[in-house]
Each structure stands twice: as structure tokens, then as C-alpha cells.
């Protein structure tokens, strides 16, 4: 089992990208577990390159106005709203 | 409520007076949206979230006359194999004391096994219907990708998941599947069975006639399995043989890599899907999440409108609202998609997915169905999986290949181990071959 696939700094970096704060103890635990899990994922190196031409077609519909949620319904679950809009934190 | 914690909430939703499900109770997994009834997906992040609309499958249940007796407990956002990662507490197996009910639809399987609901809906991203059905000794169907609308399902990994039925018998499961199946203009990935050479007469297919049925047994899916499970599996195959079916061994070399490919793809999709939980439009904002018992939602304690900036607020809300397994998967998915690693993990996983599809197509060109144990192990003891995520992931070895290949599969009770633990038999069919697996499964349950 290789425990050095990732170090604590990398886990912290990924957590930052994913916008999730982690406690120190979580960083330590994840660093160890990610080492194990990522080395298991290494098995994918043995997978041959495979033709992936899936039989897919786009699904389109006319872009027409239709019934939708009211403003009140759309805001119902927001922790905070103001003047009919979602209220979020400052941008900077 | 139940003493094994099968429900997160027991608000009753009444359906129409008449219909094929009139007089029946159908419990609904808590990641399926119910208008005006709290839907948490097992997460503290969504505590108090009340959807303003019904999922398509819920609309169809109500139109069919079903009564929904409650929302069932589940692994948080569907991420787990044991229903121990819920923010609302773990579910116990009502038919195997001290064991997990399987996951992630553990509550749905448990309420059916205990007789507290006639039927239930689950969702299956990598085995989340079939695993708990197997561990609780009931029937579960994961439909062909596209047979059932996902509109209103809180997404974990869109390209893999389907909603499906859990029931005491194959016929009951088939009847419920017929109600929820069919195209939906609000889910562009749905496809009409009638355009794919079949129809929706699922219950009529549960006639138990397996005379002449050809069963392929992929040896790879037996290799690592527990001895007691393998023994029970062969007993079930013997039973099918005695009713006129025949079996032969088949090789599916690609499935050796399926579970790794599944986790890379599912975690990558999850990292993108769960980006929506920022505590602004819905969900808990920072300093608010409590999980479980919380009954207060502070209007002012959130950071969303206060000091700090977007990124800090989001990161705090997500630290507090997500449980450990969800964080683990979102972070690993973010890692697998990040610059420098995409080709190594995500691209290879997509190659593996295509390879698995090819293998299944070949094997199913020489067999009507493919059979394996649903789970390679009997239900685990409660608490032993949480500290060892990799071991828990590897338990999904037999179910995840089916999601990668977009195929239908059923889990039916195969019998019990000598210790009295339930074992499930998984039967996999070709795309839109629901009637074939229902017919085969109905010979046993």
C-alpha cells in the first residue's frame, strides 16, 4: 500500500478547490485514506484504450415559455432573501 | 417511526382514490422530491429543505392511488453501502440483528422487509437498490438507464443512476415498476420502452416460467466472494435448473476493473453535482447545520448575508453540512478531475466503462441473463465498515458493473447462509430486458 500518493498539502489544496473547510484531523485521516484508495485506482492503468463511440443523439425541445415556479416558491428554501432575491455573502 | 430507524420522517401523502396502487403504501427514499414534504437525502445540509415540486415518480405514484407513508432513511446523498452515513442515524437490519441493512436505500428495503410498507422506491447508482434488497431478503430492481425519469431525484452521479422498486415479491416489484416507468419530457435521458422493442407489461412477465432459459455465470464475480454466499448462490442456480433453465460459465475480464472505474466516475460526477450546495439558495448556511434532531432554523445565524466572502462562506457551510463520506467522495472526485490527473483517472475510467459494456453485450449474446451473487459478502456487522472506506467500496464489485453498462438487473432472495443471513441472487439482462429478468427472478420469489 503506497501511503505517499498524496500528502497533506495536496489534500488541503483539493479541499480548497472543492470549497470545503477541513479540520486538521480530517486532513490527516483523508491523507492516509486517499493514499490507499488512489493506489487501488492505479489498477485502471491496465485498462486498454477502448473505442467509446456511443450511440448518442441530442435531445432537443422548443425553447418556449412554460409554467414554472413562482418567485415565492423559488425563494422558499433560501436561508436569507431580500427584495425577492437570494441574499448571499459579499463578493470580496 | 420504526425501532430500526427506517424512516427519516413519516408525513403521510395521500394519492388518488383509484388506480393500480390504490390501498397500497409505497415508502419513498428521501432523495426523491416530495412537494411540501421535507426531503433531506440523508444530509444535514438539507435539513428543513421542502421541495416546491414533486419528482415525476412521485406524481405517478399519487396518480396510481398509492399512499406514501413516509420518507426512508438512506446513506447521505446515496453515498454508502451500509446506510450508516445518514445524518439522521444508521438503519438497523430488521431481519438480521446486529447487521447493516445494506445501502444506500437501506431504509426502503428495511421498511418493506419489516412489513411497515407494502412497497418502496429506492435509487441505484452503483447497487443502492440491489444491495439492501439482498441484505434484507426482499426484491429490488435497477431498471435500464433511461426507463425511469430522474426528474426530482437529488443527483449523485447522473450518468449511472436510476430510481427503482423494492418489494416482497418479484410480481409486486414489477407492478410498481410499470407505474413509474416511461418517458418524461422533464428528463431528456428517458427513453420509451416501446421504441426499444418492448412494452410496460412487467407484472404479466412474472409467470415463473424459466423452461429453456439460458443463464451465463461470470466466473470473475464468484472469485472473491464469501464461501457461504457462493454456496447459497449455487443452490439458487440448481433450483432454476430443476425448473428447466440451463447455465454455462462466461468470462467478463473487464469487470475486474469495474469497481475502480465506477468510483472514479461517480465521485467525479458527485464533485460537480454537489457544488450546488452553497447555503444560499437552499441548504444550510455556515454555523447552522446540526443534523438529526435539529428543529430550529435560525433566520440570522447564517453567514450567507454577513461578513466574509463567497468562498469562505461556502467552504464553511459545506464543512458543516456534509458528512465525512460525502466530503471524501467530493474531494476524491475533485482530485480525479483536476489538472494533471484527468487523463490518469477519469479518461481511463471511461475506457473501462466502454470495455465493460462490450463485455456484457458479448456475454448476453449467448445467454438470456447473467447471474451472480448480488453482494460478495453477507450483511456486515454494524459499525465495522465506517473506518475502512476502501473495503466498503470493494463490496460493490458485483453491482457497479451493471450501472457502468446501463443494463437492468434484479436482486431476488437466493436463500440464507447457515448463520441465517440473507443472500441475494443478481440477474442481469440486456438493455430494456426487464421482462426477461422479471420472469427469471419470479421462479424464485
Amino acid at each position: 500500500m503506497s501511503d505517499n500518493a498524496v500528502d497533506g498539502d495536496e489534500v488541503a489544496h483539493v479541499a480548497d478547490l472543492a470549497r470545503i473547510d477541513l479540520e486538521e484531523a480530517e486532513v490527516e485521516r483523508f491523507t492516509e485514506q486517499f493514499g490507499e484508495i488512489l493506489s487501488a485506482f492505479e489498477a485502471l492503468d491496465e485498462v486498454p484504450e477502448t473505442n467509446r463511440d456511443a450511440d448518442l443523439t441530442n435531445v432537443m425541445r422548443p425553447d418556449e415559455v412554460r409554467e414554472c415556479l413562482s418567485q415565492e416558491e423559488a425563494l422558499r428554501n433560501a436561508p436569507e432573501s431580500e427584495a425577492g432575491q437570494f441574499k448571499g455573502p459579499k463578493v470580496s | 417511526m420504526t425501532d430500526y430507524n427506517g424512516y427519516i420522517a413519516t408525513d403521510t401523502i395521500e394519492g388518488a382514490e383509484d388506480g393500480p396502487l390504490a390501498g397500497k403504501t409505497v415508502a419513498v427514499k428521501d432523495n426523491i422530491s416530495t412537494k411540501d414534504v421535507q426531503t433531506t437525502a440523508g444530509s444535514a445540509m438539507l435539513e428543513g429543505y421542502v421541495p416546491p415540486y414533486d419528482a415525476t415518480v412521485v406524481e405517478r405514484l399519487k396518480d396510481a392511488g398509492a399512499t406514501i407513508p413516509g420518507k426512508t432513511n438512506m446513506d447521505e446523498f446515496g453515498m454508502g453501502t451500509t446506510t450508516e452515513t445518514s445524518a439522521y442515524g444508521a438503519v438497523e437490519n430488521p431481519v438480521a440483528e446486529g447487521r447493516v441493512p445494506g445501502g444506500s436505500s437501506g431504509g426502503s428495503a428495511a421498511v418493506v422487509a419489516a412489513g411497515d410498507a407494502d412497497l418502496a422506491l429506492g435509487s441505484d447508482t452503483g447497487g443502492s437498490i440491489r444491495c439492501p434488497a439482498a441484505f434484507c431478503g426482499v426484491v429490488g430492481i435497477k431498471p435500464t438507464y433511461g426507463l425511469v425519469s430522474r426528474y426530482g431525484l437529488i443527483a449523485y452521479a447522473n450518468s449511472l443512476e436510476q430510481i427503482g422498486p423494492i418489494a416482497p415479491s418479484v410480481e409486486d416489484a414489477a407492478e410498481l415498476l410499470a407505474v413509474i416507468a416511461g418517458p418524461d419530457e422533464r428528463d431528456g435521458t428517458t427513453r420509451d420502452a416501446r421504441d426499444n422493442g418492448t412494452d410496460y407489461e412487467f407484472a404479466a412477465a412474472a409467470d415463473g416460467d424459466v423452461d429453456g432459459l439460458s443463464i451465463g455465470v461470470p466466473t470473475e464475480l464468484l472469485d472473491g466472494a464469501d464461501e457461504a454466499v457462493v454456496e447459497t448462490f449455487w443452490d439458487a442456480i440448481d433450483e432454476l435448473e430443476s425448473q428447466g433453465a440451463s447455465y454455462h460459465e462466461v468470462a467478463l475480464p473487464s469487470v475486474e476493473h469495474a469497481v475502480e472505474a465506477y468510483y472514479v466516475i461517480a465521485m467525479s460526477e458527485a464533485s460537480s453535482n454537489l457544488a450546488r450546495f452553497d447555503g444560499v439558495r437552499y441548504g444550510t448556511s455556515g454555523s447552522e447545520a446540526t443534523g438529526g434532531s435539529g428543529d430550529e432554523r435560525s433566520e440570522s445565524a447564517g453567514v450567507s448575508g454577513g461578513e466574509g466572502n463567497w468562498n469562505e462562506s461556502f467552504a464553511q457551510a459545506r464543512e458543516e453540512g456534509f458528512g465525512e463520506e460525502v466530503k471524501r467522495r467530493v474531494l476524491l472526485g475533485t482530485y480525479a478531475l483536476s489538472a494533471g490527473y484527468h487523463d490518469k483517472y477519469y479518461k481511463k475510467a471511461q475506457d473501462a466503462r466502454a470495455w465493460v459494456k462490450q463485455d456484457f453485450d458479448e456475454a448476453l449474446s449467448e445467454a438470456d441473463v447473467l447471474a451472480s451473487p448480488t453482494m460478495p459478502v453477507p450483511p456486515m456487522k454494524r459499525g465495522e465498515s465506517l473506518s475502512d472506506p476502501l473495503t466498503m467500496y470493494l463490496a460493490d464489485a458485483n453491482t457497479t458493473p451493471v450501472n457502468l453498462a446501463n443494463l437492468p438487473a434484479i436482486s431476488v432472495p437466493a436463500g440464507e447462509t447457515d448463520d441465517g443471513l440473507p443472500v441475494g441472487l443478481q440477474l442481469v439482462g440486456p438493455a430494456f430486458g426487464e421482462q426477461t429478468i422479471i420472469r427469471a427472478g419470479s421462479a424464485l420469489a
Side-chain angles (χ1 to χ4, degrees), chain B residues 10-349:
Chain B
T10 48
D11 310 68
T12 303
I13 303 171
E14 298 290 349
E17 296 215 342
D18 295 319
L21 294 178
K24 295 257 175 79
T25 53
V26 184
V28 172
K29 190 177 182 180
D30 204 34
N31 60 348
I32 299 173
S33 300
T34 40
K35 183 177 164 69
D36 299 333
V37 172
Q38 174 184 260
T39 299
T40 69
S43 182
M45 179 62 91
L46 286 177
E47 189 182 333
Y49 171 71
V50 177
Y53 63 93
D54 273 328
T56 298
V57 293
V58 170
E59 267 179 11
R60 290 182 182 175
L61 286 185
K62 288 157 109 174
D63 290 347
T67 298
I68 298 170
K71 301 298 293 290
T72 57
N73 206 348
M74 55 179 286
D75 280 301
E76 185 177 2
F77 289 109
M79 300 181 185
T81 304
T82 61
T83 314
E84 293 175 293
T85 73
S86 170
Y88 304 87
V91 178
E92 296 178 45
N93 190 325
V95 301
E97 204 187 332
R99 305 283 168 155
V100 302
S104 66
S105 312
S108 290
V111 298
V112 170
D116 286 315
D118 296 323
L119 307 162
L121 291 184
S123 66
D124 190 314
T125 310
S128 286
I129 289 173
R130 292 160 286 158
C131 162
F135 281 5
C136 293
V138 294
V139 174
I141 299 176
K142 180 270 186 213
T144 304
Y145 188 79
L147 185 75
V148 178
S149 169
R150 290 178 294 108
Y151 179 75
L153 173 68
I154 297 175
Y156 156 26
N158 322 48
S159 81
L160 297 161
E161 56 207 4
Q162 278 286 289
I163 295 169
I166 295 176
S169 74
V170 173
E171 189 175 1
D172 290 341
E175 202 175 320
L176 177 53
L177 180 61
V179 167
I180 61 172
D184 176 15
E185 63 166 12
R186 292 172 298 188
D187 175 359
T189 63
T190 51
R191 291 196 290 160
D192 194 335
R194 289 166 299 199
D195 296 336
N196 288 276
T198 181
D199 58 32
Y200 298 97
E201 302 299 322
F202 300 131
D207 58 13
D209 180 6
V210 291
D211 196 23
L213 181 83
S214 161
I215 304 170
V217 177
T219 46
E220 291 84 356
L221 299 183
L222 291 171
D223 281 349
D226 180 275
E227 216 171 289
V229 168
V230 174
E231 212 172 288
T232 313
F233 166 78
W234 284 119
D235 288 346
I237 297 295
D238 286 349
E239 173 62 33
L240 290 171
E241 241 189 329
S242 75
Q243 297 183 41
S246 64
Y247 83 89
H248 62 274
E249 293 189 348
V250 298
L252 287 178
S254 65
V255 301
E256 308 266 10
H257 300 288
V259 76
E260 292 86 1
Y262 165 79
Y263 273 98
V264 168
I265 293 170
M267 288 168 170
S268 297
E269 292 187 24
S271 74
S272 168
N273 273 321
L274 271 60
R276 74 192 62 186
F277 298 106
D278 55 18
V280 173
R281 291 158 298 162
Y282 40 71
T284 199
S285 59
S287 305
E288 207 185 319
T290 53
S293 62
D295 47 7
E296 63 214 68
R297 270 176 66 79
S298 159
E299 289 294 315
S300 55
V303 296
S304 66
E307 296 306 312
N309 65 38
W310 284 96
N311 289 336
E312 286 167 13
S313 298
F314 292 175
Q316 190 185 342
R318 291 155 68 76
E319 157 74 338
E320 292 176 12
F322 288 154
E324 182 153 326
E325 183 59 31
V326 173
K327 290 177 192 168
R328 190 152 41 231
R329 295 196 192 190
V330 168
L331 293 190
L332 282 165
T334 304
Y335 181 81
L337 292 177
S338 65
Y341 296 104
H342 174 275
D343 283 4
K344 180 174 169 59
Y345 296 108
Y346 190 73
K347 188 165 167 284
K348 291 309 276 184

Side-chain angles (χ1 to χ4, degrees), chain A residues 51-65:
Chain A
N51 181 2
R52 298 195 241 130
D53 283 344
D55 190 17
L56 299 176
T57 48
N58 283 324
V59 177
M60 312 292 269
R61 61 167 173 79
D63 187 18
E64 289 165 348
V65 176

